């Protein structure tokens, strides 16, 4: 499968920028980056990055469980179910409820 990517959520204000992207090659990687004055006040740093990764085996499990056959169907599923401001937490809850393993990491 070729690398495919799309934006899952974004917000831009005078004091806060958030962008969360979804990419898939042989695994799903949901990348989030928050930056701005609000983030600096909370974390002490200008930006905050995080990654949620679903490996190949769990990607296959997800696709089989939901009957998703193509990247477009997977994209539609994620946009329909996880495109709000709490998308990362919603993906975590979905994975937990459906026994889909994922890794979550934070970089500052």
């Amino acid at each position: 499968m070729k690398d495919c990517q799309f934006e899952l959520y974004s917000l831009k204000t005078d004091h806060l920028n958030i962008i969360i992207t979804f990419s898939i090659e042989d695994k799903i990687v949901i990348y989030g980056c928050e930056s701005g004055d609000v983030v600096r006040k909370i974390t002490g740093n200008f930006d905050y990055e995080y990654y949620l990764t679903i490996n190949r085996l769990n990607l296959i499990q997800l696709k089989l469980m939901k009957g998703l056959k193509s990247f477009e169907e997977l994209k539609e599923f994620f946009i329909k179910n996880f495109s709000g401001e709490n998308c990362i937490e919603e993906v975590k809850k979905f994975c937990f409820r459906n026994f889909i393993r994922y890794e979550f990491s934070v970089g500052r």
Side-chain angles (χ1 to χ4, degrees):
M1 178 184 299
K2 65 179 184 153
D3 186 33
C4 301
Q5 183 174 328
F6 62 92
E7 188 175 284
L8 197 53
Y9 176 77
S10 68
L11 171 74
K12 184 171 176 111
T13 70
D14 291 340
H15 303 287
L16 178 65
N17 294 321
I18 300 172
I19 185 162
I20 300 174
T21 59
F22 176 105
S23 64
I24 183 171
E25 190 169 326
D26 62 343
K27 61 185 175 186
I28 292 173
V29 177
I30 301 173
Y31 166 75
C33 181
E34 301 181 15
S35 60
D37 295 334
V38 172
V39 174
R40 186 184 312 244
K41 287 178 185 177
I42 294 170
T43 67
N45 295 316
F46 181 73
D47 64 352
Y48 175 79
E49 298 177 336
Y50 41 91
Y51 301 85
L52 187 145
T53 306
I54 299 173
N55 68 21
R56 186 177 194 292
L57 182 60
N58 286 282
L59 167 59
I60 292 168
Q61 178 183 340
L62 169 77
K63 288 172 71 177
L64 288 172
M65 177 187 348
K66 292 297 178 181
L68 306 171
K69 296 181 176 96
S70 67
F71 170 74
E72 285 304 316
E73 289 178 356
L74 190 62
K75 177 180 176 180
E76 288 176 25
F77 173 76
F78 270 82
I79 288 174
K80 179 180 176 185
N81 294 287
F82 309 111
S83 62
E85 68 181 286
N86 294 319
C87 60
I88 293 290
E89 292 306 313
E90 294 301 318
V91 171
K92 287 179 181 180
K93 287 177 191 176
F94 170 82
C95 288
F96 179 78
R97 286 191 307 265
N98 292 285
F99 306 100
I100 296 170
R101 291 186 179 199
Y102 65 88
E103 294 180 19
F104 183 76
S105 59
V106 175
R108 291 186 179 152

